[in-house]
Amino acid sequence: MFLADTWDDYEVLDTGNGEKLERWGSVILQRPDPQTIWPRYRPELWGKAQAVYHRSERGGGDWEFRRTLPEKWTVSHKELQFYVRPTGFKHTGLFPEQAANWLWMQRLIQESHRHDLRILNLFGYTGGATLACVSAGAHVTHVDAAKGMVQWAKENALLNHLPESSFRWIVEDALRFVEREIRRGHVYDGIIMDPPSYGRGPGGEVWKLENELYGLVSSAAQLLSEQALFFLINSYTTGFQASVLENLLTRLILPVHGGVAFSEELCLPVTSGGVLPCGASGRWQHG
């Protein structure tokens, strides 16, 4: 597994009964997680939750705030800082399990000893992977269809005092941007994608990961440079096995670029015992 066990400011305290108890800095949140089908290991801890997200039978849900929380606060992972806050869709603006991928990409960037690396981050969200790559010395084109998420990513970039010249911010549908970049003849030395399981495009188009992912990866692979370092695919779709991602990378990238493709379940350690499954990642890297 790819285990994100390098956090100090984040911790999964306990899991069970379809929920997880997490520490984000000094703030403790309780959120749903349907994969935690076992009983809670440490029931006495759960009363410490300062905010609890309750799912609605009609979809979505609401936060119950048991303490007054800041509008937003910061958490750190090694040299990086991020703003987090409870949002209306149970998220906080950060997926801490992705730290395992950040370190992998940072290592490849630093070991290349190149100062001209161009990275493309599709579905870039609030910029965790973007900041990780820029802090390692790369230039990142950050693409997300949600203007609010791109703004949040910009705020994270400012928080870390990273040079503005190292970022290119794009508010656009990922596939449309990829198609335009192909026509322009642009290439990148690394590509990251974290596509949703389901969504709707700006024109009302329905996106389903199982129907669209092959075409998206096939198109994005055309943007890899001859000296490309990596290609990362993340999936949070329930039932979507890690080997699916590895097969895509093996079929679409290895015949052209060589290297190696591999995939694993993405997990977080749980302080009370065990690990929390958090989706899957498929990685390709140069030989």
Side-chain angles (χ1 to χ4, degrees), residues 7 9 75-82 102 106 127-135 159-160 162:
W7 283 92
D9 256 4
V75 296
S76 300
H77 178 264
K78 296 188 178 294
E79 77 281 4
L80 296 175
Q81 289 186 294
F82 307 93
W102 301 342
Q106 287 180 317
T130 294
L131 269 63
C133 291
V134 168
S135 69
L159 177 66
N160 287 274
L162 294 169

Side-chain angles (χ1 to χ4, degrees), residues 79-80 82 102 105-106 109-110 114-115 117-121 127-142 153 156-158 160-169 192 230:
E79 77 281 4
L80 296 175
F82 307 93
W102 301 342
M105 292 184 291
Q106 287 180 317
I109 290 169
Q110 291 166 348
R114 291 173 54 190
H115 303 287
L117 291 172
R118 292 166 46 84
I119 309 299
L120 175 61
N121 187 8
T130 294
L131 269 63
C133 291
V134 168
S135 69
H139 179 279
V140 179
T141 296
H142 177 106
N156 280 333
L158 289 172
N160 287 274
H161 307 289
L162 294 169
E164 293 183 18
S165 60
S166 294
F167 300 90
R168 180 186 178 201
W169 307 106
I192 308 157
F230 62 81

Side-chain angles (χ1 to χ4, degrees), residues 208-251:
K208 287 187 177 181
L209 187 69
E210 60 269 29
N211 297 337
E212 307 294 341
L213 186 58
Y214 181 89
L216 177 61
V217 176
S218 179
S219 295
Q222 297 177 54
L223 297 177
L224 286 173
S225 70
E226 292 182 0
Q227 299 82 31
L229 294 181
F230 62 81
F231 197 119
L232 172 67
I233 312 172
N234 293 305
S235 171
Y236 290 91
T237 302
T238 303
F240 220 67
Q241 302 297 322
S243 57
V244 173
L245 308 179
E246 184 172 332
N247 285 343
L248 290 177
L249 296 169
T250 299
R251 286 171 177 251

